[in-house]
Amino acid sequence: MRKSLFHLAVLAASAASTLALTGCSAMNVTASSPLQSAGVALKGNVHGGSQPVSGANIYLLAANQNGYSTSNTNTSVSLLTSATGSRYGALGYYTTTDANGNFSISGDYTCTAGQQVYLVAVGGDPGTGVTNNQAILEATILGACPSSGNFASATPYLSVNEVTTVAAAYSLAGYAVDGYHVGAPASTALAAAHPTSAAGLANAFGTFPLLVNVGTGVANTNTGATAGKGVVPQAEINTLANILSSCVNSTNSNSSASANCTTLFANATSDGTSNGTVPTEIFSAALNIAHNPAANINALCSLQSGTGAPFQPSLPCTTNNLPNDFTISIQYPESNGSSLNDLAVDNAGNIVVAGSGGVIAVYSAASGYKESSLPLGTSRNFTKVAVSNNRIVASATSTAGVSSDGLAVLSTDFNSFKWLPSNNPNNTAVAPGGASFSPDQSTFYVADSTSGAGGILRYGITFGDSAGSDTYTLLGESTTNFNQPVRTAVDFSGNVYANNLSNYIVAEVDAAGATVGTRSLAYSNGSSGLAVDQLGRIWVTSVSGGAAGWISSSSSAYSGANSGQYYATGVAIDGANHAWLSNTVKSGVQSISESAADASGLSGANGFRPTTSDATTFSSIAVDGSGNVWVTSASHLYEFVGAATPVVTPIVASLASPYTTAASKP
């Protein structure tokens, strides 16, 4: 039964003790029990640009945990109680801002441990004389409801403005339909059917404080004060905030829409075109820009008023100096001097990276993606990595030659590993390529990348307490139709595919290694990237041929864009069945719809590019359970925040119950 937090706060005060917040500073707490949490007063201020917004309605909300939201289902949950005041609106109880934009929530709110909490400010007067500008819907994020304590101890003040609204919209882009509908199947009752959904939702909420300071409303320049911090595109976030501010601080009303709001909403539709749904408030506009970041850049930039815009520094954003796109990407460093070669995502949303110099690194979601690494011998160059629910397989080449190449198998907690030589059944050393796991995760497959030959090696796992105590048995090698295969991929039926570097063939074997057949690509260059989508189709890219496309699971027909547009080393599939490519020529990422029918794809001719980039090439790519797209360059890891649709991680987890297709949405 829920208790009034007002009474709990009074008891806490009488005991002369301040309850400590445990959930807001650790954004990745997930629901484990229906404990209620108490809070003292939350205070804050709402601004439109530099102007306070008076008369704004303040709602304290939690993401719906019963399923993904639509525009009319799984509405966010109101947390304020009647004791807060007599005001009641469409979402429940609310408080309002005073003449200076200030608000106070007295403590009369309830939340359940693990609920993901955010706040919205709706309507009000931004100092333009309009009593209620209904285009105003600003947001900020508090994070996970603590299992004990209160939000106020770690978030004593909430500054709500267009900067926090941009950061909230991008962080929640994989889950939000609008400011009132944020949801995912993340309750404990749904955990069996959606085992990774709660972690994905929590990590999305946890991205927000990496982008903005919740207390000041100022966009961050980096993700933290310690070593290993990521670089945040502050000027771009400010530019997007200035674009929203042009509508907020206009004389927009129900009876007379302002020119700035009209321009913003017409160019920030649900699909980025004139055919899309036109938003009526700025949070939905920001969300639509996050979903369509290459659309209408010039028109949106026209709304920023140069150096007079309220949030600085900002991008020039002029006709002759437009940004490539409006994706928000964070650049994370590699602290060991290693080249980052490949990456994968585990079931907690951590990013596992294979690097040179014998380094396997993990960027932990719980730490704000601060890097920690496990050196495994400087003579080894880890080139590929695959992750299951409890094991990591990394392929390594050695400066000592093929005879010293091999595989490192690690526990996903990094506490144990075992080194395996990459020998074929004749006990001849071979060069290991990409690995993948069987649907039941008891077998892994490794490409034998021997030039002019090669195959797929099959290893069985007898599990011990950790990777170091496991027994790994080489079950055999399939060699028919292979010619220096690069990567492996497994479909929902358990069949294994490998793409050949030295010809235009993708070869297929069954789970026991028996030959199934080959698929011919429609270009004469060797392939590089390989992935399986929700329809069982095999996506293949050619970095040398500039091509990308898919092969049907039931025939050898190839459909793709062969325009020289897609110079991709890697390909990943998101939960909407879109293919994401890491472009090694254009230093960006590209997205193609499942039809792969056009040359420019969903990301435009140039793809999406980070505003801060050291890269001449991008190599590996992955999508996480929150909808973030991750890509490696030589010396940095990039996160494109909220660019994709969330997908089950690790990849192999969607190949078995409770899921029914590869690349399932969590």
Side-chain angles (χ1 to χ4, degrees), residues 487-511:
R487 290 186 179 271
T488 61
V490 179
D491 67 15
F492 200 83
S493 67
N495 286 354
V496 189
Y497 303 83
N499 52 330
N500 290 333
L501 178 65
S502 299
N503 60 27
Y504 49 94
I505 295 295
V506 172
E508 178 184 4
V509 301
D510 66 17

Side-chain angles (χ1 to χ4, degrees), residues 145-354:
C145 179
S147 57
S148 62
N150 59 72
F151 283 111
S153 59
T155 313
Y157 194 82
L158 300 169
S159 184
V160 187
N161 59 22
E162 294 89 343
V163 171
T164 62
T165 303
V166 168
Y170 275 73
S171 298
L172 303 183
Y175 301 95
V177 177
D178 53 43
Y180 305 139
H181 295 86
V182 179
S187 68
T188 53
L190 296 174
H194 303 273
T196 63
S197 185
L201 181 66
N203 290 342
F205 272 76
T207 299
F208 176 81
L210 304 181
L211 299 175
V212 65
N213 185 308
V214 67
T216 64
V218 174
N220 293 334
T221 57
N222 57 68
T223 59
T226 60
K229 58 193 176 185
V231 177
V232 176
Q234 183 189 56
E236 183 186 15
I237 294 173
N238 286 341
T239 296
L240 289 164
N242 289 332
I243 290 169
L244 300 185
S245 178
S246 72
C247 172
V248 171
N249 291 328
S250 67
T251 54
N252 185 73
S253 67
N254 286 341
S255 60
S256 178
S258 70
N260 284 351
C261 289
T262 300
T263 299
L264 171 63
F265 296 153
N267 290 281
T269 64
S270 59
D271 65 2
T273 75
S274 58
N275 296 322
T277 302
V278 178
T280 59
E281 35 74 17
I282 66 164
F283 181 87
S284 291
L287 190 64
N288 290 342
I289 295 171
H291 290 157
N292 307 284
N296 307 317
I297 301 293
N298 197 351
L300 292 170
C301 275
S302 72
L303 294 171
Q304 179 176 248
S305 56
T307 56
F311 301 106
Q312 299 296 335
S314 60
L315 300 176
C317 216
T318 59
T319 301
N320 296 323
N321 196 0
L322 295 173
N324 179 72
D325 60 79
F326 278 136
T327 54
I328 289 178
S329 58
I330 304 174
Q331 181 197 70
Y332 297 93
E334 200 297 305
S335 60
N336 295 284
S338 300
S339 176
L340 303 181
N341 297 322
D342 198 26
L343 79 162
V345 187
D346 71 11
N347 57 10
N350 303 317
I351 313 304
V352 181
V353 181

Side-chain angles (χ1 to χ4, degrees), residues 111 281 294 410 533 548 656:
C111 62
E281 35 74 17
L410 302 87
D533 75 5

